[in-house]
Every structure is written in C-alpha cells, then in structure tokens.
Amino acid sequence: NFLDVGGGATADQVTEAFKILTSDPNVKALLVNIFGGIMRCDTIAEGIVQAAKEVGLDIPLIVRLEGTNVEQGLQILNESSLDIIAAAN
C-alpha cells in the first residue's frame, strides 16, 4: 500500500493514515519515507511518535528521514521508547 499525506500533514492526519494502513491484516510493516523539504523532520517525527502511540502500533515501523532538522527528527524517534527503526539515508 502507498499513502501520501502531503507536505502539510498534521499528527492527526498521520494517525488516521496509520489507522487506515493497519486496518488491512495483510500489512506486516510500515515504511515512512520523508523528505523534509516543506515540513521539518523534527515536526514529522513528533507526529509519527504521537500516531504510533495513539494507534498502539504492533507491527514494525521503519522511518527514513532526510531534510531540514533531520538530526533532531532522528533523536525524537530514537528517544521515543517505541520500537522504531530510524534511518537518515
């Protein structure tokens, strides 16, 4: 499955996207690939963490970040206490 939440995605939109994707029992993992040109990676990371907690994600979550504030975004993901595989490249 593929879902583009757009450059102005909010945490609520990411949460709804996770709910849609995980409603399919055939989905075994989520890959989030972000180029933070319009949105900052730290803002995106905060939304991803909030969404994963709210949905109660129980499948692997892989997040690739690149762009503005990528280091801060990766730090947010790595310090979230969630089982998130974070990559910068």
Side-chain angles (χ1 to χ4, degrees):
N1 292 327
F2 175 82
L3 180 64
D4 185 349
V5 293
T10 65
D12 289 338
Q13 289 171 315
V14 175
T15 300
E16 288 306 309
F18 280 16
K19 287 178 183 177
I20 291 167
L21 291 168
T22 57
S23 69
D24 181 346
N26 293 316
V27 172
K28 305 299 181 201
L30 293 180
L31 169 64
V32 178
N33 184 35
I34 298 295
F35 176 75
I38 297 171
M39 290 280 294
R40 296 183 346 228
C41 289
D42 56 326
T43 301
I44 294 166
E46 289 171 354
I48 289 170
V49 167
Q50 179 182 326
K53 287 180 178 178
E54 188 172 325
V55 170
L57 208 57
D58 60 355
I59 58 175
L61 174 59
I62 302 98
V63 180
R64 180 191 171 272
L65 297 176
E66 188 58 56
T68 305
N69 292 350
V70 67
E71 294 84 10
Q72 294 93 329
L74 291 171
Q75 183 176 0
I76 290 166
L77 295 175
N78 290 327
E79 293 177 356
S80 70
S81 77
L82 297 171
D83 190 16
I84 298 174
I85 301 167
N89 54 30

